[in-house]
Amino acid sequence: MRWIALPLLAACAPTPCPEPTAESRSAESSSGGEARHAHHGRHEGHHHGEGMQHDFSDVARFEAMFDAPGRARWQRPVEVVGLLDLTPGETVADLGAGTGYFEPLLAAAVGPRGRVLALDSEPAMVAHLRERAQAEGLTVVEAREVAVDGPGLEPGSVDAILVVDTWHHLPDRVAYATKLRDALRDGGVLLVVDFTLQTEQGPPVSARIAPDALVEELRAAGLQATLVDETLPDQYVVRATR
Ligand SMILES: C[S@@+](CC[C@H](N)C(=O)[O-])C[C@H]1O[C@@H](n2cnc3c(N)ncnc32)[C@H](O)[C@@H]1O
């Protein structure tokens, strides 16, 4: 509920995302698990180059936030995955896959002949992604640990790439985007979702990226990028094609 957000912001700014305070955790549980507030909070990490470094190793803690039942209300994952225009048999990479929130929908979109590459630089998240895919019978999901500075994808090997709430963590973003462009097949789609500058949840405003700046980063990497019309209340979406 929105009234919780202002005290949280006051308590946590200017701090990077997403590190819940004890207050936010109890607020989430008492308000029905609102993942709206998952990206607020006190932060123990630090800026590193352009990317915001953060410790994501406490999987259980982040699972409670990223997979909170209320997240769908603001994340609108069906709408987000729809913007990828996936067809059965395609290969999609989810960069910064986290706890695997998007994997069931991505797996459904590419079907049994497709592939979902769930990429994350945090080994504990990757182990969790692997266990979760197995437990949920998502045989097309392959969890991979990747380097912080690159997705480790073969040139032209993927049809689409999804990056949710992760772009602001990447180092040297134009160089990183160039690697993503190279990984896409011709006509492939890169979809980046991140928090608006104005919304009450998300990383501290100083760490956020303005939509136009993100479009420019992707264009500088040689992609054709545009801001998408969508209905997400707290985020914007940039769609880029190779
Ligand atoms: C805020 S979480 C978002 C998780 C997921 N996309 C979601 O929407 O639920 C960011 C994730 O990106 C991962 N990450 C951060 N920097 C990364 C990098 N340079 N390369 C790959 N993954 C990264 C973190 O380990 C974390 O799991």
Side-chain angles (χ1 to χ4, degrees):
M1 297 174 70
R2 298 182 78 80
W3 61 267
I4 298 168
L6 285 175
L8 282 177
L9 267 185
C12 62
T15 53
C17 84
E19 188 83 4
T21 58
E23 308 93 273
S24 71
R25 284 195 295 278
S26 89
E28 279 164 35
S29 52
S30 65
S31 66
E34 298 303 313
R36 279 187 74 76
H37 307 295
H39 297 266
H40 285 294
R42 186 170 44 80
H43 178 64
E44 291 142 16
H46 57 280
H47 289 276
H48 181 76
E50 286 179 324
M52 177 167 294
Q53 296 255 302
H54 189 83
D55 181 358
F56 285 99
S57 60
D58 189 345
V59 174
R61 185 179 190 184
F62 289 107
E63 198 178 13
M65 296 189 287
F66 299 164
D67 296 302
R71 180 175 177 184
R73 286 205 293 276
W74 60 267
Q75 187 61 80
R76 307 198 175 173
V78 173
E79 179 177 347
V80 169
V81 171
L83 292 169
L84 286 165
D85 289 328
L86 293 167
T87 55
E90 287 195 325
T91 297
V92 57
D94 182 9
L95 177 64
T99 57
Y101 179 78
F102 280 95
E103 271 44 50
L105 282 175
L106 293 173
V110 298
R113 290 180 298 106
R115 293 174 82 200
V116 179
L117 307 176
L119 314 177
D120 206 287
S121 57
E122 169 51 55
M125 283 295 186
V126 177
H128 174 77
L129 284 162
R130 209 164 274 143
E131 285 163 19
R132 181 174 176 178
Q134 191 169 12
E136 297 182 5
L138 300 177
T139 52
V140 298
V141 174
E142 180 189 332
R144 289 186 189 170
E145 183 180 337
V146 295
V148 168
D149 63 354
L153 296 168
E154 292 296 315
S157 64
V158 298
D159 299 289
I161 301 171
L162 177 64
V163 187
V164 181
D165 307 349
T166 299
W167 196 257
H168 60 276
H169 289 295
L170 299 178
D172 198 352
R173 291 192 294 269
V174 174
Y176 202 109
T178 304
K179 294 175 185 175
L180 295 178
R181 181 205 63 197
D182 291 346
L184 285 171
R185 66 157 166 81
D186 284 342
V189 173
L190 167 63
L191 199 74
V192 182
V193 181
D194 222 315
F195 292 95
T196 63
L197 300 185
Q198 299 82 14
T199 191
E200 291 171 353
Q201 70 162 326
V205 174
S206 63
R208 299 185 199 182
I209 302 156
D212 289 351
L214 204 152
V215 166
E216 284 311 313
E217 288 172 359
L218 298 183
R219 288 180 181 164
L223 289 154
Q224 295 173 34
T226 51
L227 203 53
V228 171
D229 270 342
E230 33 72 20
T231 71
L232 277 63
D234 298 311
Q235 295 172 303
Y236 64 92
V237 179
V238 176
R239 189 176 191 275
T241 51
R242 175 175 173 165

